[in-house]
Amino acid sequence: MEIVMSILAGILFTTGIYNLLQKQMLRIIIGTALISHGAHLFILTMGELKRGKPPVLSDDIVNYSDPLPQALILTSIVISFGVTSLLLVLAYRASKENGTDNMEKLRGNEND
Amino acid sequence: MISNLAVLPIVIPLIAGVIAILINRKLTIVRRFAQILTAVNTIVVGYILFYVSQNGAVILEAGDWMAPFGIVLVADLLSVVLVFTTNIIALACVFYAPKSLSDQQEEFYFYTFYFLLISGVSGAFITGDLFNLFVFFEVLLMASYGLIVLGGDKVQLRESIKYVLINLFSSMLFVTTVAFLYSVVGTVNMAQIAQRVGEVEQTGVLTAIGILLFFVFGTKAALFPLYYWLPKPYIAPNPVVSALFGALLTKVGIYSLLRVFSIIFVHKSDVTHELFIWIAALTLIFGAIGAMSTQNIKLIVAYNIIPAVGFMLLGIGVYNSTGYAGTVYYLLSDMIIKAALFLLVGAIAYLAGTSDLRKIRGLIHHYPFLGWIFFIAALVLSGIPPFSGFIGKLLLLQGAIEADKIIVALIGLACSLLILLSVMRIFVRGFWGEKDESIIPDKKAARGFALPVVFLLFFSILLGVGAEWFYPSIASIGDYLMNPETYIQSVLKE
């Protein structure tokens, strides 16, 4: 199971990086979202996908899945959610002010 | 009870930032509030520094959970001295801010972002947990995204997109690396990771993780192949924001490298630390060339960050206590002087009306005091003997020679010369020359700009002239970093 998930995370990383290297701003943001999905899936995989019960305490269950990676993912999801929403607004404003969403044209001159 | 001291440098700015949201429209009140709170925080941190230097590290186990299971905050001498320096820079910046920001920018939650940035930086310095370090990185980065785009003109929007993207990518890489490390050692507490890595003597996969972590922190700290994002976004925002960024953000990356590679990944130092030395040499060369390449005074100072982090990485790479002491000394000195220089070039660009060096001349006739403090700041930066840059560089080069890295030491010396040349160019071209009659001197503004800088330069000179007083404690930090067992035992209490 871990191998399948690792390959899936790898595919997410690859497509994310491919999108990150595009010119259009929105595709870059989609790329960052895919990369963060890959990273989160990867944390879950690296915490070992043992087939235990959900980590909710009750008397008759002895085998729990590892709760720490889930807490880490939850934190990381919220953070990347915040950054992505900021990035979307930033891209909206930047493309409006500069009149283009093409990253190739968003180059700066040294003295402006 | 006394261990709660460790959380104060994080909590005070956090609460102050929240209160600043509520009073953002009343400018005079929020300004005064921010200045007083920063001063209070500096005094508190000063007391913690005194306490730690007398009684040893303060370790707080959050929520009374024992060390590897809960989050620990470790306020040892190294982190507290860095938090204290952070607060001194913050104090200078908060007094500079009203003069350089427009009222509208200040109203738009500048002080909230500012306090959150200080809180995040202090947290990153104090935490003893790798995932918590990631969270504090995000706290300070989110605040810095707010600050870099504050004002929202074309250049800022354009550059901040690139800044946010590169930081988001490196953060995701950080999370992935933590996942790797968790799967190998089964913990995210730095002391316990170090213990477990020590037990298995750092196998190949752990070295790979170490290098991955180096890439993450190297991106934050702008090291050789990863510095391309730094110069332009750093000059886009207001000078006071540039000063906070230039003084604090890259140094958090360097501090993380210092911690991780002095505590955790020390067992294969012939692979990792050898790599650092050569990357440091390349960082020095490329940064110094970058600083020489431009006529924009802000960009010259921004490029000067890069050779400075190169010097610090050299100290981490040589892996002896002299090198570590040099890194810490240079780190403290460089944080202060970079903030002072960014504030100074901001003032010069404001008073001259341009940041293009070809259009500025003869400023010394109008602003002699500003000119001479710029001259002193330039000497401190390049490491001329009575000032603090000298002792840091001396220790670093001494460490490099002790480790038989003569070539890198020579590269360091040559780059110091280029650094001196790059900042002296601003002084010679901008301040000397014929009087420019078209400038109407604004003495009042110049005085307002100069005071915070003088405050910073005072500490900078004190750190150089009073090296006799500070050197023993900094040398003890160097020894402490060479012996990670002390850290591990004081956190895990075995």
Side-chain angles (χ1 to χ4, degrees), chain A residues 78 86-87 90 94:
Chain A
V78 178
L86 176 99
L87 199 53
L90 205 60

Side-chain angles (χ1 to χ4, degrees), chain B residues 8 12-13 33-47 87 91 115:
Chain B
L8 287 180
I12 295 172
F33 170 77
Q35 287 163 358
I36 290 169
L37 253 290
T38 312
V40 167
N41 196 27
T42 313
I43 293 165
V44 170
V45 176
Y47 172 72
N87 274 291
L91 201 57
F115 275 124

Side-chain angles (χ1 to χ4, degrees), chain B residues 42 84 89 101 152 200 206 210 247 257 260 262 347 359 365 445 453 456:
Chain B
T42 313
F84 186 65
I89 289 156
L101 290 159
V200 296
L206 280 165
L257 280 176
V260 166
S262 72
K359 293 179 189 148
H365 300 287
V453 180
L456 286 177

Side-chain angles (χ1 to χ4, degrees), chain A residues 108-112, chain B residues 294-297 354-359:
Chain A
N109 198 345
E110 191 179 291
N111 291 315
D112 54 12
Chain B
T294 171
Q295 297 285 347
N296 184 330
I297 53 174
T354 172
S355 57
D356 189 348
L357 194 52
R358 284 166 294 202
K359 293 179 189 148

Side-chain angles (χ1 to χ4, degrees), chain B residues 92-110:
Chain B
C93 286
V94 80
F95 279 95
Y96 188 94
K99 279 139 199 134
S100 102
L101 290 159
S102 70
D103 284 1
Q104 212 187 352
Q105 283 173 326
E106 274 184 279
E107 261 179 31
F108 215 86
Y109 306 106
F110 168 78

Side-chain angles (χ1 to χ4, degrees), chain B residues 1-331:
Chain B
M1 186 59 216
I2 200 78
S3 68
N4 282 336
L5 277 179
V7 83
L8 287 180
I10 307 169
V11 162
I12 295 172
L14 200 62
I15 293 171
V18 173
I19 295 171
I21 297 176
L22 304 174
I23 52 172
N24 70 315
R25 296 273 162 200
K26 301 180 186 73
L27 267 188
T28 43
I29 299 175
V30 76
R31 263 178 211 158
R32 196 63 67 215
F33 170 77
Q35 287 163 358
I36 290 169
L37 253 290
T38 312
V40 167
N41 196 27
T42 313
I43 293 165
V44 170
V45 176
Y47 172 72
I48 299 171
L49 179 58
F50 174 74
Y51 183 86
V52 168
S53 67
Q54 298 294 317
N55 304 307
V58 175
I59 291 157
L60 174 64
E61 291 164 334
D64 256 347
W65 289 91
M66 266 169 57
F69 306 112
I71 288 170
V72 278
L73 299 175
V74 185
D76 55 12
L77 196 54
L78 173 62
S79 20
V80 177
V81 96
L82 286 169
V83 173
F84 186 65
T85 317
T86 304
N87 274 291
I88 284 173
I89 289 156
L91 201 57
C93 286
V94 80
F95 279 95
Y96 188 94
K99 279 139 199 134
S100 102
L101 290 159
S102 70
D103 284 1
Q104 212 187 352
Q105 283 173 326
E106 274 184 279
E107 261 179 31
F108 215 86
Y109 306 106
F110 168 78
Y111 291 105
T112 304
F113 288 132
Y114 155 83
F115 275 124
L116 291 183
L117 184 77
I118 302 301
S119 174
V121 171
S122 308
F125 284 146
I126 289 181
T127 187
D129 180 295
L130 212 52
F131 195 78
N132 201 231
L133 179 67
F134 162 74
V135 174
F136 277 121
F137 261 118
E138 288 305 310
V139 171
L140 73 92
L141 284 174
M142 281 298 255
S144 77
Y145 302 155
L147 286 173
I148 199 170
V149 80
L150 192 71
D153 63 10
K154 268 188 183 182
V155 185
Q156 278 177 306
L157 286 166
R158 194 182 66 207
E159 297 302 336
S160 60
I161 286 252
K162 298 166 194 171
Y163 176 76
V164 176
L165 279 174
I166 196 81
N167 277 308
L168 182 54
F169 182 72
S170 71
S171 295
M172 283 306 131
L173 205 58
F174 193 1
V175 169
T176 317
T177 315
V178 171
F180 265 127
L181 200 53
Y182 180 71
S183 80
V184 178
V185 296
T187 177
V188 286
N189 180 294
M190 283 204 247
Q192 205 186 12
I193 294 173
Q195 199 181 35
R196 298 216 173 143
V197 171
E199 279 163 12
V200 296
E201 289 284 305
Q202 194 172 338
T203 51
V205 66
L206 280 165
T207 308
I209 291 169
I211 302 285
L212 206 53
L213 216 47
F214 170 73
F215 265 86
V216 172
F217 295 138
T219 315
K220 311 268 186 204
L223 295 170
F224 160 62
L226 311 160
Y227 69 83
Y228 48 86
W229 59 272
L230 179 130
K232 281 183 181 168
Y234 269 39
I235 62 165
N238 197 284
V240 62
V241 178
S242 300
L244 283 169
F245 282 20
L248 305 177
L249 298 195
T250 51
K251 277 55 177 192
V252 180
I254 282 290
Y255 166 80
S256 310
L257 280 176
L258 190 59
R259 267 278 187 252
V260 166
F261 287 96
S262 72
I263 295 175
I264 302 174
F265 301 106
V266 288
H267 305 281
K268 286 269 163 57
S269 63
D270 52 328
V271 183
T272 50
H273 293 63
E274 190 72 24
L275 176 76
F276 295 170
I277 290 176
W278 294 108
I279 285 183
L282 288 167
T283 312
L284 278 165
I285 294 169
F286 278 78
I289 290 174
M292 293 298 296
S293 70
T294 171
Q295 297 285 347
N296 184 330
I297 53 174
K298 290 183 181 173
L299 209 51
I300 292 174
V301 178
Y303 264 116
N304 263 315
I305 295 173
I306 298 164
V309 294
F311 268 118
M312 294 169 209
L313 186 70
L314 174 63
I316 301 171
V318 296
Y319 194 48
N320 54 33
S321 61
T322 324
Y324 277 141
T327 303
V328 175
Y329 217 112
Y330 197 68
L331 188 58

